[in-house]
Amino acid sequence: MNQIKKKNIFAVCDLEVEYAYNFMEYLNQRRNLPFEVQAFTSAEILCEYAKSQPIEILLISDKAMCEEVRQLKVGKLIILTEGVHNPELDQYSSIYKYQSSDQVIREVMDCYGAEKAAHEGSPVMKKSTSVIGVYSPVGRTQKTSFALTLGQILAKDRAVLYLNLESYSGFEQILGETYERNLSDLLYFVRQENANVIHRLSGMVLPIQNLDYVPPALSPMDIQCTSCGEWLALFEEIVRNSTYEVLILDLGDGVQELYQILDYCTRVYVPVRGDALSAAKLAQFENLLRMWDYEGVLEKMQKIKPPFHSTNRTGKGYIEDLVWSELGDYVRQLQRKEPG
């Protein structure tokens, strides 16, 4: 967790100068990519660079392809096409150029992750990763709103990934989104050997402001049937091999061996309420932690009482508004009190 390694090179080559540099700027803003990005506007300059620097991924426009580029030794060459291209390029994977940068990078990471075998010692450009759990045995505590607010605020300065492990997240409904892939797909890759999980992850994450998230599982069974070992394998992949500095786990009761997951966390926020029944549920939870020898979780726990947040906005606007709400002010004050 404390090693720093040089990133592999992700090269983009397009004769259209504005496209090449705008795409490079977009990629550099994606803190989760485990690559150093280089942009080129001619094949000649690209080939000269490649003489001294190995290139792991090369995304090159069909118009820039030439015999010299074909001879380069790159980990994965992908054609950036405007539609119809020379049949001689059919041997390479191709991606349509004129779509959102988000979609382009997802397709690139899909192509790369599908063919590139996972290897030990993936590049890590960070000192450590904090794993923050957010869980409560008490209902209606603003738990998810708190976790999303915390994630967005921390993501202003650090690379943060949010994972929702609840049986029912409601993300598609509140965001008005339909996801092609979600956490269930990522867990499938975790179960496969040499699945290159981190690059699959990079092609799957979506942003809410600076915060990255993986679309949550659609079915409660996908959460409930995932073993503790599979969850921990996923978390360890993210901690060891991604560039994320903070991993936020929004936990629900459907997670197998929940207490072991909580014990894995660096810190655990426990939203609570002030009524007698809520206090009784919390006391039962704490007693069980002691009974099952998870006193370490008690030491990591921080009980909080987040203020309730309401807004007329829907979709991403609802989640983005959390940062500037009373809840956002509460989270900022909480963070100012944190050591370090």
Side-chain angles (χ1 to χ4, degrees), residues 25-287:
E25 183 177 353
Y26 164 79
L27 291 179
N28 283 328
Q29 291 173 355
R30 288 282 297 266
R31 296 175 179 172
N32 67 302
L33 283 180
F35 295 96
E36 176 186 333
V37 183
Q38 297 289 340
F40 302 90
T41 55
S42 77
E44 292 78 11
I45 298 175
L46 167 68
C47 292
E48 187 64 29
Y49 176 86
K51 290 179 182 178
S52 58
Q53 296 289 340
I55 296 174
E56 185 61 20
I57 298 178
L58 172 58
L59 180 63
I60 184 169
S61 69
D62 48 10
K63 294 179 180 178
M65 273 296 289
C66 60
E67 187 58 34
E68 289 75 17
V69 172
R70 289 176 185 270
Q71 300 303 317
L72 294 179
K73 293 182 179 180
V74 301
K76 178 66 177 175
L77 191 153
I78 302 171
I79 302 298
L80 193 60
T81 177
E82 297 181 15
V84 179
H85 58 252
N86 191 324
E88 293 181 2
L89 301 180
D90 287 346
Q91 62 181 295
Y92 304 107
S93 301
S94 63
I95 291 174
Y96 182 59
K97 178 178 178 178
Y98 298 114
Q99 56 183 330
S100 71
S101 297
D102 266 339
Q103 186 61 30
V104 170
I105 192 58
R106 282 199 290 273
E107 292 184 20
V108 166
M109 300 316 298
D110 266 353
C111 289
Y112 180 74
E115 297 183 16
K116 191 71 176 176
H119 56 280
E120 291 187 18
S122 297
V124 178
M125 298 293 289
K126 60 183 176 181
K127 292 183 178 180
S128 63
T129 299
S130 298
V131 181
I132 299 176
V134 184
Y135 170 76
S136 179
V138 180
R140 304 298 300 163
T141 59
Q142 296 278 91
K143 178 177 70 70
T144 292
S145 294
F146 171 83
L148 288 167
T149 306
L150 175 66
Q152 290 179 91
I153 288 173
L154 292 179
K156 290 184 177 181
D157 302 310
R158 285 177 274 179
V160 183
L161 177 66
Y162 167 88
L163 296 182
N164 186 293
L165 276 63
E166 296 180 301
S167 296
Y168 297 94
S169 70
F171 264 53
E172 286 201 351
Q173 288 71 26
I174 196 166
L175 292 176
E177 299 272 5
T178 300
Y179 301 113
E180 294 180 8
R181 288 159 296 177
N182 57 46
L183 183 58
S184 303
D185 299 295
L186 187 59
L187 289 166
Y188 169 80
F189 293 127
V190 169
R191 297 177 185 117
Q192 310 304 305
E193 291 186 6
N194 299 325
N196 216 340
V197 171
I198 292 306
H199 297 107
R200 298 285 192 176
L201 171 68
S202 297
M204 194 176 295
V205 295
L206 295 171
I208 298 176
Q209 297 197 93
N210 292 325
L211 173 66
D212 281 353
Y213 74 99
V214 175
L218 285 181
S219 169
M221 295 299 292
D222 292 336
I223 297 295
Q224 296 162 7
C225 294
T226 300
S227 70
C228 178
E230 289 165 343
W231 285 124
L232 294 177
L234 172 59
F235 305 154
E236 277 297 296
E237 279 285 339
I238 295 168
V239 167
R240 288 199 311 264
N241 299 325
S242 80
T243 55
Y244 288 111
E245 299 164 89
V246 180
L247 172 61
I248 296 179
L249 306 178
D250 188 352
L251 296 159
D253 289 316
V255 176
Q256 286 192 33
E257 299 185 55
L258 173 64
Y259 291 3
Q260 190 171 337
I261 301 295
L262 292 171
D263 195 41
Y264 177 81
C265 297
T266 310
R267 184 186 317 152
V268 179
Y269 288 110
V270 181
V272 298
R273 300 174 66 179
D275 61 285
L277 186 56
S278 297
K281 290 181 178 182
L282 182 62
Q284 180 184 357
F285 169 61
E286 292 177 328
N287 287 337

